[in-house]
Amino acid sequence: MTPIDGQPILTAAEMRAAEERAIAAGSSVEDLMERAGAGVAEAVRRLTAGAPVLVLCGPGNNGGDGYAAARILKANGVPVRVTSCADPRSAAAVAARQAFAGEVESIDRADGAPVVVDALFGTGLSRPLDPSSQQALARLTGGARLSFAVDLPSGITTDDGALLGHVPHIDITLALGALKPAHLLQPAAAMCGAVRLVDIGLKHVTSDCRALARPDLGPPPVDAHKYSRGLVAIVGGEMPGAGALAAEAAMRAGTGYVLLFDDQGSAGAPHALVRRKWSVAALRKALDGKKAAAIVVGPGLGRGKDAERKLDAAIAIAVPLVIDGDALHLLDKDRLAALGKRTGGTVLTPHVGEFKAAFGEYAGSKIEATRRAAAKSGATVVFKGPDTVIATPTGQAVVAPAASSWLSTAGTGDVLAGAVGVMLAAGEGPEAAIWLHGEAARRLGGAFIADDLARELGAVRASL
């Protein structure tokens, strides 16, 4: 089993193509099924200490993987039973069923077991399970001490993470050959439990989409100074606390110098924070000649004429730019067109409401919606949420594993905007900021506020 950090994510069609390439290179469907079964059996055997196992098999190749796993578990002395919702239909699954050479119980009448393996349906499912199978799956997994899913929990769509009816929570999902979007997109990801990758012998698996990985940042070099570590300019507005949060987050996330343009002031900000009265000239002067710099505009900005002027000024300056919060609501057709012409690079950080305000309603895959928004705007888009997706205008995408639900509190997006500004000033993309943000939340546990999150960024950044 392999952790998922940085691993490629394949759609159902991409996975079929990868398997077809393996078959063209000399493997057979039966070979792939045997490797899948062996990988599943090894994971179950290692994690269950010989406890009795019940394998639920469906009619397709996912069920065939289950039959293969059951046979290998049995051969290794593990007490194992098999139940099915239908006879196998594919040639490989029929062969796997015959090789098991044991009794197969009806899923409706099967008794439970301490360990349950769901191998009913995997990648490519497009319709709900029949009511009888849904009920049996819920009953058997609900009564188990530990549950596994082979590739995906049954009842999930592969590419967009939708639930096709009731899907019970699984403790461990064993992704076969590659990650699928549903392993990271909600609401499916919440049903997958811990996701681990099982090697089935696919070679050179690549994709334009991958899972977020721990960044390799390290400490500043020995000859670093405050400007070489980056200058982040935060453009404040009607809600000074939001700008102050973004500024403190930028300071804690590792930049060398933070300027907050805030005419109202906000108590409690770090003494090292430099404040300036807002003007376009002051912003330009602060950034003039700085090689490592970025602007963050939007946290607490407001949506009036003054906010529009500040946003336009930020767009016009050729340094990396983060557009967040209120500023996203001001992205009309002309401003979106202007983003594509910028030479400094732009990152947009919308939550779902801001995404809809800027790009309209969407349906289907969040990954594809984010890619379309990035292509339309010419900017990198960080579509925030319990399943944050990052996409570039060229179609590259990164999906973050589920973050703490305690992030659903005011100001955490301002903290992220400040951290993204740090990475842009350092010549990096936003991925490291997403990781830092999520890790800070994980370390805090629960019931934290955005101020706590900003401060925790320092400890997380220092640990890298």
Side-chain angles (χ1 to χ4, degrees):
M1 294 187 296
T2 304
I4 67 172
D5 291 3
Q7 294 292 334
I9 300 171
L10 273 62
T11 64
E14 290 169 338
M15 190 65 196
R16 284 193 297 271
E19 291 172 341
E20 288 168 0
R21 288 193 297 272
I23 292 168
S27 292
S28 65
V29 175
E30 290 78 9
D31 292 334
L32 297 177
M33 188 172 288
E34 184 69 10
R35 293 172 198 152
V40 170
E42 176 64 13
V44 171
R45 188 181 64 80
R46 287 174 56 190
L47 295 173
T48 58
V53 177
L54 176 65
V55 183
L56 318 181
C57 293
N61 286 345
N62 193 255
D65 298 336
Y67 287 117
R71 173 178 54 78
I72 295 168
L73 285 168
K74 184 177 180 181
N76 282 274
V78 177
V80 63
R81 295 161 41 230
V82 173
T83 182
S84 73
C85 63
D87 292 334
R89 295 171 187 164
S90 72
V94 169
R97 163 65 185 93
Q98 292 171 345
F100 172 64
E103 180 186 359
V104 177
E105 307 168 25
S106 169
I107 195 170
D108 295 329
R109 297 187 296 273
D111 293 329
V115 179
V116 169
V117 179
D118 169 17
L120 292 175
F121 297 94
T123 295
L125 188 66
S126 59
R127 56 183 173 80
L129 278 65
D130 65 82
S132 176
S133 295
Q134 276 194 40
Q135 293 169 10
L137 177 61
R139 172 176 61 85
L140 294 169
T141 56
R145 294 204 306 263
L146 189 64
S147 57
F148 294 81
V150 177
D151 205 24
L152 284 169
S154 296
I156 283 173
T157 58
T158 306
D159 292 351
D160 63 9
L163 305 184
L164 299 169
H166 175 72
V167 177
H169 178 269
I170 296 294
D171 296 311
I172 301 172
T173 295
L174 302 171
L176 301 181
L179 293 177
K180 319 304 183 300
H183 290 131
L184 292 114
L185 294 179
Q186 300 296 348
M191 300 297 105
C192 291
V195 179
R196 293 295 181 266
L197 186 62
V198 172
D199 181 18
I200 62 171
L202 303 180
K203 304 298 183 184
H204 312 298
V205 175
T206 60
S207 174
D208 290 335
C209 186
R210 58 181 172 82
L212 184 70
R214 177 189 175 102
D216 183 17
L217 295 177
V222 67
D223 59 346
H225 53 81
K226 61 185 178 183
Y227 291 119
S228 68
R229 287 177 58 187
L231 183 154
V232 177
I234 312 290
V235 179
E238 294 178 2
M239 297 178 64
L245 273 172
E248 181 167 358
M251 300 173 77
R252 305 284 183 186
T255 203
Y257 194 95
V258 179
L259 272 169
L260 175 58
F261 290 89
D262 178 11
D263 293 340
Q264 298 186 54
S266 178
H271 294 304
L273 175 62
V274 180
R275 296 179 182 275
R276 292 282 186 270
K277 292 290 186 181
W278 163 258
S279 72
V280 175
L283 179 62
R284 288 187 173 277
K285 181 179 179 181
L287 296 170
D288 186 40
K290 303 298 188 297
K291 295 181 179 179
I295 302 171
V296 178
V297 61
L301 185 66
R303 304 181 193 178
K305 292 298 182 182
D306 185 54
E308 291 183 349
R309 287 189 289 269
K310 289 178 176 179
L311 175 57
D312 290 337
I315 290 173
I317 298 174
V319 300
L321 173 63
V322 182
I323 299 179
D324 182 58
D326 286 334
L328 293 162
H329 288 270
L330 303 177
L331 290 178
D332 57 16
K333 181 179 179 181
D334 291 339
R335 290 190 179 98
L336 280 173
L339 296 184
K341 300 174 184 176
R342 296 189 75 251
T343 57
T346 309
V347 174
L348 311 181
T349 56
H351 58 52
V352 64
E354 293 160 347
F355 186 92
K356 291 177 180 178
F359 301 107
E361 296 285 342
Y362 78 95
S365 168
K366 185 174 181 178
I367 296 171
E368 294 309 314
T370 310
R371 281 173 162 157
R372 290 192 297 270
K376 179 178 180 179
S377 64
T380 295
V381 176
V382 178
F383 191 171
K384 300 180 295 191
D387 49 1
T388 294
V389 178
I390 308 161
T392 69
T394 59
Q396 299 293 317
V398 176
V399 186
S404 168
S405 59
W406 290 102
L407 284 166
S408 55
T409 187
T412 56
D414 305 321
V415 171
L416 178 61
V420 172
V422 173
M423 299 308 155
L424 296 192
E428 304 287 341
E431 292 90 345
I434 309 301
W435 188 91
L436 290 171
H437 192 257
E439 177 65 9
R442 187 192 69 79
R443 293 188 182 194
L444 286 169
F448 56 80
I449 62 173
D451 305 66
D452 302 324
L453 187 69
R455 295 184 187 109
E456 189 65 25
L457 287 176
V460 176
R461 177 63 184 87
S463 71
L464 296 176

